[in-house]
Amino acid sequence: MALFGLGGKKGGAGAEADADKKLAYDPLQAARALPWLVALLGLLGLWCLIAGGLRQRDDSRQNALEFARDDVVVAVRRTLSEHRQKMGARLASKEFTAALAAGDAAAAAASLKQGWSEIRRAELWPADLDARYQQLPRSGFGSLAAAEDALVTGKLAVRIVRAADGARVALAAPVKGATEMVAYVELPLARLESAVTSPALPSGTYLALRQGQRSVVERGEIELAAAAEAMGARVPDSELRVAAAAPDSMAAPFGLSGWISLVLGVVLLLLCGGLWFVLRPRLLAMGGAGEVESGPTLSDLQQTLPPVAPVARAKSSEPDAAKAARKSSVVIDHRIFRAYDIRGVVGQSLDAGVAELIGQAIGSVMAEQGLDSIVVGRDGRLSGPELSQGLIDGLRTAGRHVIDIGMAPTPVVYFGGFHLRTGCGVAITGSHNPPDYNGFKIVIGGETLSGDAIKDLHARIAEDRLLTAEVRGNLDERDIGEDYVQRIAGDIQIGQRLKVVVDAGNGVAGVLGPRVLEAIGADVTPLFCDIDGTFPNHHPDPSEPHNLEALVQMVQRLDADLGIAFDGDGDRLGVVTKAGKNIFPDRLLMLFAADVLERNPGAVIVYDVKCTGRLPTQILRHGGSPLMWKTGHSLIKSKMREVDAALAGEMSGHFFFAERWFGFDDGIYAAARLLEILDTREESPDAVFDALPDGVSTAEIKVEAPDGDPHAFVERFRLTATFEGARQTTLDGVRVDWSDGWGLVRASNTTPVLVMRFDADSSQAMARIQQAFRDNLLRLEPDLKLPF
């Protein structure tokens, strides 16, 4: 045992010695490691100090901006209140009431100016506003919107309007004399401008007085304008808003506030000083060294990275000379150059040679405008690849750089113009026309070509005014489908798992349409979504009710919430419900308008002549400004830009969202916005649609035009037709409005047919209106086959 005891003690002592040796504290080693810790803490301290200071500066700037914004709101409200009080006093004056009772509109208008030197314009208009609408655009959209607002609300309306000498403040009020009228005055904008420009504005910020989506007065950094609604504040009792924006605040470390980050930075730097100037000398003294070898510097630690070889961009191979050469024998049929696109029959008026000349003409226009690149895409028609190759050859001959996105819906081509920053695009598509049709929808410099611009392309070809560049343009192939899907899904997400059936009619939207709706959270069942240019199941035109029969059956069989239909190139939308109802696009536009106007009070909503008469009333009820315009996607887009509209729609199913989107017609995006709206409602989709104002209406009625010339027939109809007790509008065709309904005859710009539609409050009114049109149509053309 003694031996065991001695052996155990000796072994224990040895182990303790080894342990002490391993755990021995080496001050010199600690001193050598200290620079790393000091450097790390120093960098962290500097980060906290600098970022905290910048965050504190940004917070102070934002607080100052909020004070400036609130001051402007108060000043603008005070100015508007003074204008209203003066207007009310003048309307109550003896001079005005006497002139109004006598029916002397000129004297009544003159009395408004008495004692009110600021007035620049004073007028009285009949409450029906017919004369003002007939004078558009000269009469002014803003003044009409103010008058309509006053008539609908029965109160004095205030609005900023455009005049020849700039913006003005307009006031409109309903007045009753011998007849109902609208008193209208305009005042200079100077006092409102002063209210906006007087408060001190922090540097680097933005402030604006806005109406709808338009900035009336703005100050500061204009590039911040797009983000200014986040700090916007509404001016009470008006449709005006004060928008404000400041640069993004510096993020402090670890999500701390500016002050705490500053304090933490100071503490860390003081700690670094203590470690270096107090602890380090003591460690060196304990280690018996006056100096310690410095650790490696940051530059010592940097490793030289191997040079990155530049990525060589593959050049597309040039086509054979035989394919690239344009045949001199190509004949261009001027009839394919339509009102808002180019469209013809493949093999008759359209082939690769014609497409090449059109491409060269487009490229020539681009060159004159200093535009370099263009996006090209095509739908699923069998002739698409051949026409695409011809078009691209022509564009490259003119020296333009082409980005070919392949088979894609028309709205994806439009999206590509924004996403790839080209501003130009051509969609090769026959849209909803028969399989042997094809054509081109063209955007140059952000403008969709129509009218004279389309005719100019033909003139360039006919007169051989085509550019042949010294250097042939490049060709790049891109797939932007996923970018399109993610852009929409990043903005729209629904919480309910809405069950949707999507019928693409074998059109090109059959792939991306379902993908987008699935990406935003819907449960999608595809129907006829295989892309097939022969359209074997039904014609891809959702405006024809019989094309929606299979969709209705599938929605009911699957007990789905909704049925979505796209046309051949995906820029139009059709909707059916579980109950089998076809929700006409003008009623969908009511739903879209109400949603947009919640965020953009007073915004202009454009609709075409084929839409129901209940639509403008619904827009006004939600605080918007309705504007009727001509049918045609390019014409609507042009008018939207002119009046700064937030939304537009056509009876054909085109919807144009400028709010949160890019303002082009997009059936897929419109479907996503529809699901977003339905997601917020507690009612079922059927109940939501049933709540919209409705009456008796027809779908679009298409009648073969006599002699194949619908425009000539409509012009003869306009000159000879008579309708008692109704108002005729000849904006686009002949629309005749009665108090209980209306009818329309117009010429199609895409096919040789007459397009008719009727809408009424009751079946009796519908029968009377259709009979009036029938009598006039058959008097002009007895052999015309009418389906009503």
Side-chain angles (χ1 to χ4, degrees), residues 320-467:
D320 295 334
K323 294 182 180 179
R326 175 163 44 90
K327 295 182 179 180
S328 60
S329 60
V330 173
V331 177
I332 296 290
D333 184 349
H334 69 91
R335 291 173 296 182
I336 69 175
F337 294 82
R338 309 292 183 97
Y340 32 82
D341 55 25
I342 299 173
R343 196 169 301 176
V345 178
V346 177
Q348 296 181 19
S349 56
L350 202 58
D351 59 20
V354 173
E356 184 176 352
L357 291 175
I358 291 171
Q360 195 171 355
I362 294 170
S364 301
V365 176
M366 289 175 60
E368 291 177 1
Q369 297 183 18
L371 301 168
D372 181 65
S373 300
I374 185 168
V375 176
V376 173
R378 55 183 168 82
D379 68 13
R381 291 167 189 265
L382 303 183
S383 58
E386 177 187 3
L387 295 182
S388 178
Q389 184 60 56
L391 180 81
I392 291 172
D393 284 346
L395 288 165
R396 296 179 68 193
T397 297
R400 301 310 95 190
H401 303 308
V402 179
I403 303 174
D404 182 7
I405 63 172
M407 190 183 298
T410 293
V412 178
V413 177
Y414 296 153
F415 170 77
F418 289 92
H419 181 66
L420 301 175
R421 302 183 183 278
T422 67
C424 302
V426 179
I428 302 167
T429 176
S431 187
H432 59 281
N433 291 99
D436 55 343
Y437 275 76
N438 215 327
F440 308 90
K441 295 179 179 179
I442 306 161
V443 179
I444 297 179
E447 297 276 345
T448 302
L449 299 196
S450 63
D452 292 339
I454 294 283
K455 293 178 181 177
D456 177 65
L457 295 178
H458 174 257
R460 287 175 180 272
I461 296 170
E463 298 166 11
D464 198 22
R465 292 187 287 111
L466 302 176
L467 171 66

Side-chain angles (χ1 to χ4, degrees), residues 58-74 199-203 205-207 228 230-233 242-246 249:
D58 293 344
D59 289 345
S60 298
R61 177 169 57 188
Q62 184 148 329
N63 289 335
L65 179 61
E66 289 175 354
F67 281 119
R69 177 202 63 194
D70 294 343
D71 287 345
V72 171
V73 169
V74 172
L201 189 66
S203 62
T205 62
Y206 172 83
L207 188 73
M231 288 182 62
V242 179
S249 296

Side-chain angles (χ1 to χ4, degrees), residues 110 441 610 630:
K441 295 179 179 179
K610 295 183 289 185
K630 302 175 184 179

Side-chain angles (χ1 to χ4, degrees), residues 10 69 86 112 116 171 239 356 395 434 478 647 684 786:
K10 185 176 180 181
R69 177 202 63 194
K86 286 188 177 181
L112 292 174
W116 200 354
L171 291 88
E239 295 180 352
E356 184 176 352
L395 288 165
R478 293 281 298 273
L647 172 70
S684 67
L786 300 174

